[in-house]
């Protein structure tokens, strides 16, 4: 038995030696390039080689630059990259209601619900400046943000951004629509009339207005002056410190904030 045990131990040891001899470290120890380290192998001294020209990552070809940027030769273009069908407008309305109405409101007057609660006043689409703005302007702003508005490129796909742009133009037209703007035989009703037909009060669809503000006046440089909490605005009663004013939260009393 002892002899068998010794033979077994010898064979095991021999196999272990053969196994260890086969586990060489050549690939681990071979010369190789390290990122961000120089080398004398290439003439420019860089170990990391530059990308081949005119190559792009997968799904990033973006041949139609206008579709992805809204710009033509660096300037805002004025046109849709695809037809604005009724389906596109409906998609734009749905996306607009999700992402835009909190600030711009359902009618695009820039007085959405969070603006009424103190956020910076949003752009009013019914002004001359925005009514005449090129379509690429709206796409570019949605993609990259503007002023207090953040960019929505991560939340809204390019096609949906264009759908929103198309809906914004339709929304602008709707705010000043007349009988002459619709096909013959089509009846034009005010929003208040439609609200009444739906069993709602006429005021349900009236233009939204901001709640009473705590603004008392302006300085020579055009800045609003904010009163202390509870102080009486010019010509009005005292404003409770808990009132829902448009004063940005956390603004110290007497501090000036720029006009919107």
């Amino acid at each position: 038995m002892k002899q068998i045990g010794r033979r077994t131990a010898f064979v095991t040891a021999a196999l272990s030696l053969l196994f260890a001899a086969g586990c060489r470290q050549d690939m681990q120890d071979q010369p190789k390039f390290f990122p961000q380290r120089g080398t004398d192998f290439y003439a420019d001294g860089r170990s990391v080689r530059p990308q081949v020209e005119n190559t792009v990552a997968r799904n990033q070809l973006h041949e139609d630059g206008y579709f992805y940027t809204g710009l033509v030769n660096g300037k805002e273009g004025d046109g849709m990259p695809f037809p604005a069908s009724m389906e596109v407008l409906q998609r734009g309305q749905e996306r607009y209601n999700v992402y835009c109405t909190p600030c711009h409101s359902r009618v695009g007057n820039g007085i959405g619900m969070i603006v009424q609660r103190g956020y910076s006043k949003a752009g009013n689409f019914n002004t001359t400046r925005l009514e005449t703005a090129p379509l690429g302007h709206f796409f570019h702003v949605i993609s990259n943000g503007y002023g207090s508005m953040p960019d929505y490129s991560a939340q809204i796909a390019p096609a949906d951004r264009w759908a929103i742009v198309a809906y914004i133009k339709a929304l602008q037209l709707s705010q000043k629509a007349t009988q002459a703007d619709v096909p013959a035989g089509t009846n034009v009703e005010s929003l208040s009339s439609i609200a009444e037909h739906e069993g709602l009060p006429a005021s349900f669809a009236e233009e939204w207005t901001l709640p009473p503000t705590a603004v008392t006046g302006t300085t020579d440089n055009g800045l609003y002056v904010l009163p202390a909490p509870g102080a009486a605005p010019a010509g009005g009663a005292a404003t409770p410190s808990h009132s829902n004013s448009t004063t940005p939260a956390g603004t110290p009393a007497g501090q000036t904030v720029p006009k919107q």
Side-chain angles (χ1 to χ4, degrees):
M1 292 293 294
K2 290 183 179 180
Q3 196 171 17
I4 294 175
R6 290 175 181 175
R7 288 180 180 178
T8 302
F10 176 78
V11 171
T12 301
L15 291 175
S16 298
L17 289 174
L18 290 174
F19 180 78
C23 295
R24 300 179 61 181
Q25 301 294 314
D26 290 355
M27 292 190 69
Q28 175 180 315
D29 299 332
Q30 68 179 332
K32 56 182 174 292
F33 294 138
F34 292 90
Q36 310 303 325
R37 293 188 186 179
T39 178
D40 56 6
F41 186 82
Y42 295 109
D44 61 6
R46 296 186 300 174
S47 61
V48 178
R49 310 313 304 146
Q51 294 181 346
V52 179
E53 293 185 5
N54 301 319
T55 59
V56 294
R58 183 178 303 219
N59 297 325
Q60 294 185 10
L61 181 57
H62 296 178
E63 286 183 296
D64 186 352
Y66 183 64
F67 175 79
Y68 290 99
T69 65
L71 304 176
V72 178
N73 297 325
K75 297 182 179 180
E76 295 169 346
D78 193 13
M80 290 286 293
F82 49 80
S85 63
M86 183 57 66
E87 182 180 358
V88 169
L89 290 173
Q90 290 172 344
R91 175 66 176 179
Q93 181 185 41
E94 190 267 342
R95 296 287 89 185
Y96 176 91
N97 288 342
V98 170
Y99 291 104
C100 309
T101 55
C103 292
H104 295 278
S105 87
R106 289 291 181 103
V107 295
N109 61 7
I111 313 178
M113 294 307 294
I114 68 170
V115 172
Q116 296 183 44
R117 285 158 173 77
Y119 197 72
S120 300
K121 190 174 187 298
N124 181 358
F125 299 137
N126 305 314
T127 61
T128 302
R129 180 180 70 86
L130 291 181
E131 285 177 346
T132 58
L135 300 185
H137 170 76
F138 297 97
F139 182 89
H140 191 259
V141 170
I142 296 172
S143 302
N144 302 287
Y146 184 84
S148 299
M149 175 178 168
D151 70 86
Y152 283 83
S153 57
Q155 297 94 323
I156 310 175
D160 283 343
R161 285 176 238 163
W162 282 114
I164 291 174
V165 171
Y167 178 69
I168 288 174
K169 299 308 291 185
L171 191 61
Q172 289 173 330
L173 293 173
S174 73
Q175 298 307 294
K176 298 179 180 178
T178 64
Q179 189 70 48
D181 296 319
V182 297
T186 302
N187 185 35
V188 177
E189 293 185 84
S190 65
L191 290 177
S192 58
S193 297
I194 296 174
E196 290 180 322
H197 294 165
E198 296 293 331
L200 300 168
S203 60
F204 181 84
E206 287 181 351
E207 184 173 348
W208 300 343
T209 58
L210 285 171
T213 67
V215 173
T216 60
T218 59
T219 62
D220 292 338
N221 59 3
L223 299 178
Y224 285 132
V225 181
L226 308 180
T239 302
S241 59
H242 62 274
S243 64
N244 181 24
S245 72
T246 55
T247 301
T251 304
Q255 181 173 324
T256 57
V257 295
K259 288 183 179 179
Q260 299 298 336

